[in-house]
Every structure is written in C-alpha cells, then in structure tokens.
C-alpha cells in the first residue's frame, strides 16, 4: 500500500481507496481519491445513471445540543435555534423535526464564511445536526461554539466517516441494506440501526441527483463501504467526478464560487435568505443584502456555455467588445452535455440568459453564452403531498 502524503490526514476509508486503485491527492487537508481506474468521465456517467459512492469524511458533521433542555420540544428547539440564527441567514427556528436546511454562515458585511447544512433532530429536542465544509470547519466550529457559550455543547463528529451515495438507484440500494431509508423525503434525516451501530442518514447530496449521506462510526466505515459496493449498481467515485457533477448541477463550491466577499444574493442563493429573516433584518450583513435584494448589485453569479476548451477558474470573462467584465470561478467539461461549462461573476447588465460574452483561455478568445443554471436538471426526490 502506498503511504499517505506527509502532514495530510486520512479518512477511515483510506485503505479501501488504495486497494481499489484510487489516485490519491491532497484536498482540504486530507488524502482523498480524485479518481479510480474507471476514470472521471466513466464515474460521472455511472453516477448519473446508477449509484456512485463517495467518501466525504473530510467534511465537518457535528451536533449542537442544549445543556439544560426543558423537555418542551418546541421551546427547546427555539432555544437552540436562537443560538445559531444570529450567525446565518436561514430560518432555523422554522425547521420541522428531521428537516435539513441549506444556509450560509455570514460575516458582518454579509460575505459567506461558509455554506452549510443545519437540521433539527427528529428525536432529541434542543439538538441540531450541522454539517460544514472541510476547509473551513475549524473556524466554523469555533464560531458556533462561541455563540453557544454555556447554553449548548458543540460535539464534533468528524472523527467518524461520512459517505455519500448518489444517483437514481442510490436510495433503492441503500434501502436494501438499511430498510426504511426510502421513506425519507428530500432534505430530511433520521437515525437508523445497522449491524448494531447507529447511522445518521440524510436524503441530500451534492450532485443534483437523488441520494443520501450516511454518517457512521469510523470502526464501521469499511463494512458500510463494502456492503454498498457489493451491489452491482454501485461504483466508487472520486473527487474529479464529484466536481463535474456539482458543476453540471450549478452548485457553488466554497473557496471558489463562494468566499468572504461574496453575498448570498451575488451568488444567486436568494432562496437561502429566509423571508422571515429578511423581514426582521436580523442576520449578519442584512443592510447590504437587503439592498442587493432591491437591485443594488454590482455582480451576480451566472452559468456559461463555453465554445472550445474549458475555461478554468480565474479565466477572464469579456463582453462582445473585448472589455473585461468578470471572472470564471469554476469551469470544466460537462460529460452529460459533451461541452464546456463554467460559473462566474459578471455585472447584472451582462447576466441575462442568452447574453453573448467571451472568455480568454490561454490568450485565445472563445465565445461564451450566459445560460440559466442548473446546466443539467436536478432530479431530487419529492414526496407527493398527502
């Protein structure tokens, strides 16, 4: 077995990746597989058609729990939500038991410190399940713990394993191993028992496909990995295809399409700024963000169809006259579309779908057209309303 790169952390599944022929690369301070022998293109298409298994144990799962719950479920949830809401733009108080919500941790000027998932426990009043990004998790956890003070305890769970099973066949596969998972609605989670251990399973993901994310103890990670891969519908998928899948889905990547200068409105994430929070203007950077909601924007995130070679991060975006108007923040080849696509920021005047722009790739001008995102339609599971 090849040795991990010095000073990089490994996940509980490191040995499995190496045994499967994974090409290991540094990412977020960890040694992770960028691809397996199938290759990024094949892994991408397999996930779109079947079920792809990702090791996302580098992420930052955690639990925030009241120290002295009253026993009143709604009051305890309101109390723990009140600790988190001053940090984010989402409606945490309004979460239903088991509901997961995407939101953003903001600085005082409305810039994104991180984007994250926050969920209300379906069983334990006064407890939130919070998952943050790998590269920012230490800072995120410090911010949340400081805000909680002596009222709640933040317990990190990033010493375990987090697996993502994504694709149209993913939930059917997982339901054969962990019965009941198929009953979960999109953006909900619940605890499950498997082989004598507890799993936390959320019906969510980062590919635009249906699927689940599974938190388990490190000691059970290899057994879960093997159990999922024993199904012929499942193949291991690396970081390369994870990135191309999320790009096709038009999903931002923190540190690229989001950073501390980018607001939710600039990033096209208006849905993440809850109506109740806008009305009360009680979130970080509210003055700026509410002005942006009113139309005072200098830049917005757009999708681009690029003719020719892919336009990578940092590529200049120019208008039809050759004037630089923005930059690409994520770009690459879209296997599902057989063409190059990109995300980037441009002034609102250049943001309408159909607008003809250019990108400068290695000094060569290539046509680029603004298009609505997602590039590939999302296929998230929606429960029929009763």
């Amino acid at each position: 077995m090849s040795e991990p790169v010095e000073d990089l952390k490994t996940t509980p599944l490191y040995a499995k990746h190496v045994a499967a022929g994974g090409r290991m690369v540094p990412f977020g301070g960890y040694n992770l597989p960028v691809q397996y022998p199938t290759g990024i293109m094949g892994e991408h298409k397999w996930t779109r058609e079947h079920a792809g298994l990702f090791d996302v144990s580098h992420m930052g799962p955690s639990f925030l729990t009241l120290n002295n719950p009253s026993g009143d479920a709604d009051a305890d949830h309101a109390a723990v939500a009140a600790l988190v809401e001053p940090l984010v733009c989402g409606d945490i108080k309004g979460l239903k038991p088991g509901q997961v919500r995407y939101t953003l941790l903001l600085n005082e000027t409305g810039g994104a410190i991180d984007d994250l998932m926050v969920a209300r426990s379906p069983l334990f009043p006064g407890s939130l399940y919070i998952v943050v990004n790998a590269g920012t998790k230490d800072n995120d956890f410090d911010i949340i713990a400081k805000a909680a003070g002596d009222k709640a305890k933040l317990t990190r769970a990033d010493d375990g394993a987090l697996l993502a099973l994504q694709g149209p066949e993913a939930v059917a596969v997982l339901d054969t191993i962990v019965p009941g998972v198929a009953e979960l609605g999109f953006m909900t989670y619940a605890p499950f028992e498997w082989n004598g251990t507890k799993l936390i399973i959320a019906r969510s993901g980062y590919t635009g496909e249906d699927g689940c994310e599974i938190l388990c103890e490190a000691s059970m990670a290899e057994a879960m990995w093997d159990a999922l891969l024993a199904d012929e519908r499942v193949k291991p998928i690396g970081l390369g295809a994870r990135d191309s899948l999320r790009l096709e889905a038009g999903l931002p990547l923190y540190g690229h399409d989001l950073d501390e200068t980018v607001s939710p409105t600039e990033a096209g994430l208006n849905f993440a700024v809850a109506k109740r929070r806008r009305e009360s203007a009680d979130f970080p950077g509210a003055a700026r963000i509410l002005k942006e909601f009113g139309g005072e924007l200098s830049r917005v995130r757009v999708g681009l169809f690029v003719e020719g070679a892919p336009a990578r991060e940092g590529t200049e975006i120019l208008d039809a006259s050759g004037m630089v108007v923005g930059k690409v923040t994520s770009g690459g080849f879209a296997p599902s579309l057989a063409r190059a696509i990109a995300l980037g920021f441009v002034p609102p005047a250049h943001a309408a779908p159909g607008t003809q722009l250019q990108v400068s790739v290695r000094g060569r001008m290539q046509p680029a057209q603004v298009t609505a995102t997602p590039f590939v339609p999302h296929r998230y599971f929606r429960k029929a309303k009763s």
Side-chain angles (χ1 to χ4, degrees), residues 18-353:
V18 173
R23 183 159 70 84
M24 310 304 289
V25 299
F27 184 84
Y30 285 77
N31 245 309
L32 291 168
V34 68
Q35 66 180 76
Y36 295 90
T38 302
I40 293 172
M41 185 84 71
E43 292 170 25
H44 178 112
K45 291 182 176 180
W46 185 269
T47 304
R48 286 270 183 254
E49 296 167 4
H50 303 288
L53 181 59
F54 304 77
D55 179 9
V56 291
S57 305
H58 58 299
M59 299 290 285
S62 66
F63 299 91
L64 182 68
T65 306
L66 288 180
N67 287 328
N68 297 297
S70 68
D72 181 317
D74 289 337
D76 287 339
H77 173 66
V80 73
L83 301 176
V84 175
E85 282 200 346
L87 309 175
V88 301
C89 55
D91 180 6
I92 308 306
K93 182 179 178 181
L95 287 171
K96 297 175 182 178
Q99 185 179 10
V100 182
R101 180 159 286 154
Y102 173 86
T103 190
L104 294 103
L105 189 67
L106 300 175
N107 60 28
E108 60 183 12
T109 61
I113 295 171
D114 197 13
D115 59 339
L116 62 156
M117 296 288 195
V118 180
R120 177 177 175 175
S121 172
L123 298 179
F124 304 105
S127 182
L128 298 174
Y129 177 41
I130 302 173
V131 183
V132 303
N133 280 305
T136 56
K137 63 183 177 182
D138 291 337
N139 183 53
D140 291 358
F141 288 149
D142 286 346
I143 291 171
I144 296 167
K146 184 177 179 180
D150 59 2
K151 295 180 181 178
K153 180 182 179 182
L154 182 73
T155 303
R156 294 177 64 150
D158 58 336
D159 56 348
L162 190 62
L163 287 70
L165 189 65
Q166 300 283 292
E169 296 178 337
V171 173
V173 169
L174 187 55
D175 195 63
T176 64
I177 298 169
V178 186
V181 167
E183 296 302 311
L184 288 174
F186 177 60
M187 293 295 277
T188 67
Y189 90 100
F192 292 85
E193 294 290 328
W194 181 73
N195 283 3
T197 189
K198 186 164 76 173
L199 308 174
I200 299 294
I201 301 179
R203 195 160 188 172
S204 60
Y206 193 50
T207 62
E209 297 289 339
D210 189 17
C212 292
E213 295 177 317
I214 309 151
L215 178 66
C216 68
E217 296 176 5
S219 61
M220 298 300 293
E222 291 193 349
M224 173 56 72
W225 182 264
D226 289 344
L228 292 169
L229 286 176
D231 192 302
E232 63 181 9
R233 293 169 288 182
V234 182
K235 286 187 178 180
I237 312 295
L239 292 171
R242 177 174 163 86
D243 191 56
S244 58
L245 288 159
R246 72 90 193 169
L247 182 57
E248 287 187 347
L251 301 175
L253 176 62
Y254 193 83
H256 302 264
D257 313 296
L258 288 171
D259 60 37
E260 291 210 33
T261 71
V262 177
S263 72
T265 32
E266 289 178 325
L269 301 172
N270 289 358
F271 73 90
V273 186
K275 181 180 179 182
R276 175 177 67 82
R277 306 299 306 279
R278 296 199 307 269
E279 291 173 346
S280 57
D282 62 350
F283 55 91
R288 168 194 173 182
I289 291 171
L290 293 176
K291 285 181 181 178
E292 292 175 345
F293 261 88
E296 294 185 32
L297 280 159
S298 61
R299 60 178 179 174
V300 290
R301 182 169 67 97
V302 296
L304 297 171
F305 282 139
V306 176
E307 299 300 326
R312 305 293 182 180
E313 181 181 0
T315 298
E316 291 183 335
I317 303 171
L318 305 92
D319 65 14
S321 69
M323 180 179 293
V324 176
V325 294
K327 279 192 176 182
V328 169
T329 50
S330 288
F333 182 77
S336 303
L337 304 173
R339 67 183 306 171
I341 59 174
L343 297 174
F345 286 85
V346 298
H350 299 282

